[in-house]
């Protein structure tokens, strides 16, 4: 049985969160390990998709005062506040690297399965003629892509992927509750009256995802050299204005 290394992190600044995801991607290139990470953001942060213009953030007044970071993955902007973020990194030697859409659905179906156990009905978006989607609004949770997690017509979960030479990073966000910085986006609690504890959610998803991947879940402590790499990446990329403002 393959191993899935687990990280469940405390809240951290946006530039660090993105730098650590990038460091994990680069280190998995070298080690061939698979890593599942859950994390939170403090302070609340607006993350822009890689291809978005920095000036687009002016379209959203409520989030103007938030810290901003630019992700290395595409998609729309996300207000990281009352949500849970995960990342999953797999090496090119893993079957999941090639079955990348299957991996996307595996995680989202695990979230749907957990919510069902809490009495919450969620579905995966299907871009058939019976569904409509807005054309590239600023915020990711106002966009729709196949496989997004919906409660009714409201998106509460989505993910994006990015490849390196020898590994694949998938990360995504689960909207637990409406943020004061994005009041137009209701979360699970607002839509259903069911409050989802992020620690219980991450704990349940660890088991569901590892089971569906047929992998043994192993708690993991990041090596000091990986931390050093993440610090360098934060300084040189995600914490640098040249990166944040590069579009």
């Amino acid at each position: 049985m393959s191993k899935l290394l687990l990280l469940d992190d405390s809240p951290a600044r946006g530039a660090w969160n993105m730098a650590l995801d990038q460091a994990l991607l680069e280190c998995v290139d070298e080690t061939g390990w698979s890593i599942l990470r859950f994390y939170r953001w403090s302070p609340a942060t607006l993350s822009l998709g890689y291809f978005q213009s920095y000036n687009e953030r002016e379209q959203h007044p409520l989030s103007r005062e938030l810290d901003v970071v630019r992700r290395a993955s595409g998609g729309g902007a996300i207000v990281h506040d009352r949500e849970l973020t995960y990342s999953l990194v797999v090496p090119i030697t893993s079957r999941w690297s090639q079955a990348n859409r299957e991996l996307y659905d595996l995680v989202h179906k695990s979230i749907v399965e957990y919510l069902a156990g809490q009495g919450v009905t969620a579905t995966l978006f299907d871009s058939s003629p019976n569904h409509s989607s807005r054309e590239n609004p600023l915020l990711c949770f106002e966009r729709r892509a196949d496989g997004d997690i919906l409660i009714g017509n409201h998106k509460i979960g989505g993910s994006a992927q990015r490849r390196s030479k020898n590994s694949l990073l998938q990360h995504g966000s689960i909207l637990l509750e409406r943020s004061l910085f994005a009041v137009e986006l209701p979360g699970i609690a607002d839509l259903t009256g069911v409050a989802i504890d992020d620690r219980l959610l991450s704990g349940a998803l660890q088991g569901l995802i590892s089971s569906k991947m047929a992998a043994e879940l192993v708690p993991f402590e990041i090596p000091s050299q990986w931390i050093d790499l993440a610090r360098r990446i934060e300084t040189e990329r995600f914490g640098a204005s040249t990166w944040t403002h590069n579009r």
Side-chain angles (χ1 to χ4, degrees):
M1 177 180 284
S2 61
K3 292 185 178 181
L4 181 62
L5 306 183
L6 171 67
L7 297 170
D8 200 340
D9 291 343
S10 300
R13 59 193 177 274
W16 172 256
N17 277 332
M18 294 296 91
L20 185 53
D21 268 1
Q22 179 63 32
L24 295 179
L25 181 66
E26 295 182 14
C27 291
V28 164
D29 264 0
E30 299 175 0
T31 64
W33 298 340
S34 295
I35 301 175
L36 174 63
R37 176 185 177 220
F38 293 95
Y39 55 101
R40 295 93 179 154
W41 306 63
S42 181
T45 301
L46 179 73
S47 74
L48 295 172
Y50 179 75
F51 297 102
Q52 289 185 294
S53 165
Y54 181 85
N55 291 333
E56 286 185 61
R57 72 167 309 195
E58 296 302 319
Q59 300 173 16
H60 194 250
L62 285 176
S63 65
R64 282 179 185 163
E65 302 305 313
L66 296 183
D67 288 354
V68 181
V69 66
R70 182 180 297 281
R71 303 191 305 273
S73 58
I78 301 175
V79 173
H80 298 278
D81 185 17
R82 301 187 180 279
E83 49 88 74
L84 176 67
T85 308
Y86 81 90
S87 62
L88 180 56
V89 188
V90 296
I92 197 170
T93 53
S94 165
R95 67 171 291 266
W96 301 107
S97 178
Q98 300 306 314
N100 58 307
R101 177 52 199 266
E102 188 179 347
L103 182 66
Y104 187 95
D105 288 341
L106 180 152
V107 174
H108 285 199
K109 288 178 180 178
S110 296
I111 296 168
V112 169
E113 183 176 338
Y114 174 77
L115 292 177
Q118 307 306 304
V120 173
T121 300
T123 59
L124 300 185
F125 179 73
D126 174 12
S127 58
S128 68
N130 295 324
H131 293 83
S132 60
S133 175
R134 289 178 56 186
E135 289 295 325
N136 292 331
L138 173 71
L139 296 177
C140 174
F141 280 84
E142 291 186 321
R143 301 183 180 194
R144 299 289 182 272
D146 282 341
D148 283 346
I149 307 170
L150 306 182
I151 294 178
N153 293 321
H154 296 278
K155 178 176 175 178
I156 57 90
S159 300
Q161 294 179 340
R162 177 174 177 265
R163 287 190 181 276
S164 66
K165 182 179 180 182
N166 293 311
S167 55
L168 171 73
L169 165 69
Q170 176 175 306
H171 55 189
S173 174
I174 308 162
L175 186 56
L176 304 179
E177 186 179 355
R178 191 191 312 271
S179 169
L180 294 177
F181 305 110
V183 296
E184 65 271 51
L185 301 176
I188 298 168
D190 309 292
L191 294 167
T192 67
V194 178
I196 301 295
D197 181 276
D198 69 298
R199 291 290 176 182
L200 294 178
L201 174 59
S202 65
L205 291 179
Q206 294 165 22
L208 288 168
I209 292 170
S210 60
S211 176
K212 292 180 189 298
M213 293 180 68
E216 178 189 0
L217 195 66
V218 180
F220 181 58
E221 183 173 345
I222 305 176
S224 59
Q225 61 266 35
W226 293 25
I227 295 293
D228 292 341
L229 173 62
R231 287 174 177 153
R232 186 168 72 250
I233 292 171
E234 180 183 18
T235 299
E236 297 176 355
R237 188 182 308 180
F238 295 102
S241 61
T242 49
W243 169 267
T244 307
H245 296 260
N246 73 348
R247 293 183 183 277

